[in-house]
Amino acid sequence: MKERKEPSELKLLRMLKARGGLVDESRFWNLEKGYRGEVLFDKWFFCLDGEWIVVNDLLLEYGGSLFQIDSLVIGADRLYLFEVKNFEGDFYLDEGR
């Protein structure tokens, strides 16, 4: 089992920001919002019925490329992969896009 941990880069940027250091504000807020969204997803998923094994922040390598899965959920007969996004604003569909 792997619990979700705050990303090291976010911790570092938060410390630098608190000390008035130079911080890429856009990068900081993207990481902050992303982490908050993942924590909200964890709380939501925890309330669901059923027996699940949940592995968070799974870092894998395939074909020389690293990739990360936000949440891998293992059920009795299925695997679910979740890529959590925490966008805000107005979104709309136009001809299926």
Side-chain angles (χ1 to χ4, degrees), residues 41-52 54 73 80 82:
F41 173 83
D42 294 343
K43 288 179 184 176
W44 170 81
F45 195 86
F46 182 75
C47 294
L48 295 180
D49 291 332
E51 293 188 27
W52 312 95
V54 180
V73 178
Y80 298 95
F82 291 96

Side-chain angles (χ1 to χ4, degrees), residues 36-94:
R36 286 182 189 175
E38 291 171 356
V39 169
L40 285 171
F41 173 83
D42 294 343
K43 288 179 184 176
W44 170 81
F45 195 86
F46 182 75
C47 294
L48 295 180
D49 291 332
E51 293 188 27
W52 312 95
I53 296 173
V54 180
V55 183
N56 293 315
D57 295 326
L58 187 59
L59 186 62
L60 301 171
E61 180 180 357
Y62 181 78
S65 296
L66 285 174
F67 62 97
Q68 184 249 352
I69 297 172
D70 289 336
S71 293
L72 171 66
V73 178
I74 304 168
D77 62 346
R78 294 196 177 125
L79 293 175
Y80 298 95
L81 302 176
F82 291 96
E83 177 64 26
V84 179
K85 298 298 176 200
N86 190 16
F87 297 129
E88 61 184 66
D90 296 326
F91 298 89
Y92 63 94
L93 293 174
D94 185 15

Side-chain angles (χ1 to χ4, degrees), residues 13 17 21-32:
L13 290 176
K17 189 171 174 54
L22 293 175
V23 173
D24 179 347
E25 289 287 327
S26 177
R27 178 71 180 151
F28 170 77
W29 286 112
N30 283 339
L31 286 170
E32 181 73 31

